[in-house]
Amino acid sequence: EDRRMKDEFYPRLDKEKLFEDGYIAEESGHSRGSTVDLTLVELPVKPQRPYLPGEPLTPCIAPAEERFPDNSVDMGTGFDCFDTLSHTDNPQVPGEAKANRQLLKNTLESVGLENYPNEWWHYTLANEPFPDTYFDFPVARDSLDD
């Protein structure tokens, strides 16, 4: 029932449809160690300001200058945006954002990763070593600080 982030991450979808429409999976390649979500940033990377709890949310489908400043190049939508506009080859995405998506896609495909067409940021190793295994292990906070 929690819809606090709807306005930003799935403004045009019903939460109940996120699994059915393929935006969220019951089992994810991320837990196989073969799938990553990533974007492009300009170097040197500019610091990203933190989200301030309570600040107004902006739809992930809004123009880049209106969305939360995540320091990535314009990809046409925000990261983790559940919308048809996030489909990698969506023809409605304007020039520079479309070119950025194609740069990401062509570069990663050239090194053996495959794009999930509904999410421009989602890539899986084509010849993954554990295609049917979903690892379940705890991640300790201390190990992330190293």
Side-chain angles (χ1 to χ4, degrees), residues 14-131:
D14 291 330
K15 187 172 187 178
E16 295 78 21
K17 305 263 300 165
L18 294 178
F19 283 95
E20 181 182 326
D21 290 347
Y23 292 107
I24 300 176
E26 298 231 5
E27 294 179 320
S28 169
H30 293 287
S31 64
R32 291 193 305 263
S34 60
T35 298
V36 295
D37 291 344
L38 66 163
T39 188
L40 300 172
V41 297
E42 289 186 24
L43 296 177
V45 179
K46 298 173 189 148
Q48 179 177 321
R49 75 167 180 82
Y51 171 76
L52 303 172
E55 73 178 280
L57 300 176
T58 303
C60 55
I61 57 174
E65 59 275 3
E66 296 175 21
R67 295 191 306 262
F68 182 80
D70 65 2
N71 76 12
S72 66
V73 301
D74 185 11
M75 301 298 276
T77 70
F79 193 81
D80 272 349
C81 182
F82 300 145
D83 192 273
T84 57
L85 197 57
S86 293
H87 295 187
T88 307
D89 295 323
N90 185 309
Q92 295 175 307
V93 175
E96 182 179 344
K98 182 180 287 191
N100 289 337
R101 288 182 185 194
Q102 291 307 309
L103 174 62
L104 182 65
K105 183 179 180 191
N106 293 339
T107 301
L108 294 177
E109 285 180 348
S110 76
V111 295
L113 291 151
E114 296 176 345
N115 175 244
Y116 175 55
N118 287 1
E119 300 175 349
W120 59 258
W121 58 85
H122 185 105
Y123 287 85
T124 299
L125 186 62
N127 293 315
E128 59 183 303
F130 306 104

